[in-house]
Each structure stands twice: as structure tokens, then as C-alpha cells.
Amino acid sequence: MQVSVETTQGLERRLTITVPAESVDSAVKSRLQQLAKTQRINGFRPGKVPVSVIKKRFGQAVRQEVAGDVMQQNFYQAIVQEKIQPAGMPKFELTKDEDGADLEFVASFEVYPEVEVNGVSDIEIEKPVVEIKDEDLDNMMETLQKQHATWKEVKRKAKKDDRVVIDFVGSIDGEEFDGGKAEDFTLELGQGRMIPGFEKPIVGAKAGEEVTVEVTFPEDYHAEALKGKDAVFKVNVKKVEGQQLPKLDDDFAKLFGVEEGGVDALREEVRKNMQRELSQTLKAKLKEDVIAKLVEKNEIDLPQALIDQEIDALREQAKQRFAQQGGGANLPELPADLFADNAKRRVTIGLLLGEIIKQNELEASDDKVNEMIETSASAYEDPQEVIEYYKNNQELMQQMRNVALEEQAIEWVLDQAKVTEVTKAFDEVMNKQA
């Protein structure tokens, strides 16, 4: 086998490979002989058909099959011989293929770029330090109360966190518009579910009052005809309801599966959940910052083949999400441009972290893998059952090892970077994340 390597452009490579005639011809002959043993042709006994007859009838098809196999086999031998790492499947072009002559073909493909991770010691990272205080826990307990609140009609002015029942009619330049009218509409004040400015005049109104609401539809509003338009709504407040929070007692604790220990036990469980979610949020934020700075300092020439693979993966994920939300099976093919930027970023991240892992000979730590599984399992009613499920599923364990290895690469960057700890409040971190 003879191989010549040509760089056509950037990461594109072109291999011209010549395979000796005897290798191809002997493979064709062997396959024709095997075929002769199984073919039934009139005038010949089974298994006694001459190879010359088989060649005349099937020779061209057999040679095409052999040529395909020869190209695949010799391509892989060639890239090993030349120490080339393809970044995608090659495109084969058969240039010479005749009986008794050397077979020649061209394989075109992209290679992985040479990645050098730079600027790690110059990366500056702010690492939030957050303590869950008693008032944070009190706020969370109040949130749980609100989730189980009931509503009772009140004879007073509406305020934030109240619920109102309203009729309204909207108009633009004095003309009513489609979708701008409703009756017995229930609105919880302070949730920001209406367009900006709609709730403000309603706060302070009593049942039986009519208020005028003047708003401007956002420029990115979903209805094209209303984008940026000024509108006036006549709102009739029919009812004002206040929240009735349940008492913090043993019965309330039982709503969350806490049968013993009452409110104190519930508070302890809530604190654990808050700490777990906080830790996960801080870790994700730190990882996001590290990756952003790493990508910013390292520009890589990306193989289009890898980008295309990532686009296909993102497109498939989008289809699955759409299906889970009740989307039909006839979803049209989503355009590649929709995923291109995200795909390029993901490929860049993968190459950078892969190089860090390779250069530092990082291996997934069993302790870290077990810690991650235990953390994930702690959110379930029976953590041990979840842990056993992971450990008995090789695919899940491999996924967890991959995540652990990625986190170890992030930790390596943090060890080299300039990290400054910054004290932040629980709400500042978690509400911003939400």
C-alpha cells in the first residue's frame, strides 16, 4: 500500500492510497469462489457452477463490494501509519479500478486541530461564598406556606400578593383588538404575568371599582400586530382575595412527608435541600465562568464535521423536548443555523477540556464519582436504592465518570487561575439563577 498525504485547506486532508493489484484481485477471486458454492444456475449442479460463469454474471458487483471493503480497510491502516486523527467520516473517491491493475482511491476528511491551552494563569474568577442564614430559611418556609395557601375574599384595597377577579377590555386608538378582552379573569398580583404596567393601577383598587390601565406592548411581543403599540384597558375589579397561609404545625410538616419531629424536623429537611441546591448552583456557576474565560482566551480552528455532529445532537435533543411537551411527530427539520453557535461553543469546550485531561493525564476519581452519585441520590426518598441503580448500570456509571473527569479538568484550571472569594447573600445567588 502506498500513501500520499496532502493538506488541501486548514484542517482538510486528502489521502491518495494505492493498493497492489494482487491484493484486490485475490479478494475478488475468493469472493467469487464463495459465491459459486451457493448460487443456483440452470444447467449446473448446486455448488458446481464454474467461477468463470459466476464472474461473468456477478463480477462487476463483486468487485464493487470488494473495492468498498478495500477502501475502508486500507484507509484505517493509512491513518494509523501516518498518525492522522480524522475528525469525521471520510469521503471516498475511487480513481482507478481495473482487473489486473493497482486500485487507487482518494479519501477526503478533516483532522482534529492541534490544541494548545493558553492563558490559564491569567484567568480571573470570582468564587461566591454563601451562608444560609436563619432569615433565608424563614423565607423558604414562607414560600412553602404560600404554595399551600388558600384564598378568601376581603373587603379592602388590593395589594401585592393578593388575587383579583377582573373583567377587562383593551383598545388601541379607540378600537378594540383581538385578544384584548376577558371576563372573570383571575390575576395574582406581583407575579409579573401581564405586560409591564398592567398591574400597577389595579393595586390599591377595591371590588366594584373600575380603573384605566395605559400600557405599551413590548417590541418583542408575540403578536406581530401589537408590538410596540400603546393600549388602554378598562378594568372592572369584581373581587379581591387575600392569601390565607396555613399554620406552621405538625399537620403542615406532614404535607412534606415529615411524620415525626414536626416543624423543627421540617426546617432541618428544608435547610438540607437549600444547601444541596445552593451547592449545585454555585458549582454550575463556577464551571460556567471558568469555561467562558477559557473559551475567551483560546481560539481554535474547528472541524466542520464535529460542528455538524453537535448540531445533529442538539437538533435531536430539541425534538425530544418538543415531543415531551406534547409536540407532534411531524415536526419539520429544524434549520442548522438555529444550533450553529451553540454547537461551535460545545465543540470548543470539548476540545479544550479534552486537551487539559490529556496533558495532565487526568483520570476519573472513584471518590469523586461516588460523591456525585450520593449527592444526586440524596434528593430521593430512598438514596441507597438510587445509588445501587447507578452502580448496576454501566452506561450511567460511564456518564458519571465522564462528568467527574470534566469537573477535575475544571478544578485544574481553578488551581492555576486567580480566584477571589466574594461573600454573597443566598437570595442574590439563587434568585438570580432562577
Side-chain angles (χ1 to χ4, degrees), residues 166-168 198 202 209-213 233-237:
I166 57 176
D167 295 340
F168 62 82
F198 187 91
I202 300 174
E209 293 183 353
E210 184 177 280
V211 296
T212 300
V213 176
F233 287 87
K234 296 296 183 182
V235 180
N236 178 27
V237 180

Side-chain angles (χ1 to χ4, degrees), residues 181-329:
K181 183 177 182 178
E183 293 182 354
D184 294 328
F185 184 82
T186 301
L187 174 63
E188 192 172 340
L189 300 173
Q191 300 300 307
R193 292 174 182 165
M194 303 296 279
I195 58 177
F198 187 91
E199 294 183 10
K200 187 175 180 180
I202 300 174
V203 174
K206 291 182 179 180
E209 293 183 353
E210 184 177 280
V211 296
T212 300
V213 176
E214 297 181 1
V215 296
T216 300
F217 282 93
E219 292 292 344
D220 59 354
Y221 194 68
H222 61 85
E224 188 68 32
L226 301 178
K227 289 181 178 180
K229 295 291 182 67
D230 293 328
V232 176
F233 287 87
K234 296 296 183 182
V235 180
N236 178 27
V237 180
K238 301 174 76 172
K239 187 191 294 186
V240 177
E241 298 176 324
Q243 275 189 341
Q244 304 295 303
L245 300 182
K247 291 182 179 180
L248 286 175
D249 55 18
D250 289 356
D251 289 337
F252 183 74
K254 288 178 181 179
L255 292 174
F256 299 89
V258 178
E259 297 294 335
E260 297 181 3
V263 175
D264 289 341
L266 175 61
R267 286 176 67 90
E268 186 59 34
E269 190 64 29
V270 171
R271 184 184 285 274
K272 287 180 183 177
N273 291 338
M274 290 172 67
Q275 186 62 60
R276 182 177 59 250
E277 291 178 13
L278 174 63
S279 297
Q280 291 173 347
T281 299
L282 291 175
K283 182 184 289 186
K285 178 66 170 63
L286 196 60
K287 179 179 177 179
E288 181 184 319
D289 288 349
V290 168
I291 286 175
K293 297 289 177 63
L294 200 59
V295 170
E296 182 183 315
K297 291 186 176 295
N298 292 273
E299 188 173 340
I300 303 175
D301 190 8
L302 303 177
Q304 187 60 43
L306 295 186
I307 296 172
D308 291 341
Q309 289 173 21
E310 201 62 45
I311 286 173
D312 289 341
L314 289 168
R315 183 187 278 128
E316 186 59 32
Q317 289 171 14
K319 287 173 65 176
Q320 289 175 4
R321 285 196 300 271
F322 186 78
Q324 289 169 359
Q325 294 167 3

Side-chain angles (χ1 to χ4, degrees), residues 1 12 33 50 72 173-174 186 218 230 273 302-304 384 388 397-398:
M1 178 183 69
E12 296 176 3
Q33 288 172 341
Q72 289 281 356
D173 296 330
T186 301
D230 293 328
N273 291 338
L302 303 177
Q304 187 60 43
Q384 191 57 41
E388 291 301 321
M397 286 299 293
Q398 186 56 53

Side-chain angles (χ1 to χ4, degrees), residues 153-168:
E153 186 173 0
V154 293
K155 302 300 182 181
R156 57 166 171 77
K157 295 179 179 180
K159 61 183 182 180
K160 183 183 175 185
D161 294 331
D162 280 347
R163 196 167 72 174
V164 294
V165 178
I166 57 176
D167 295 340
F168 62 82

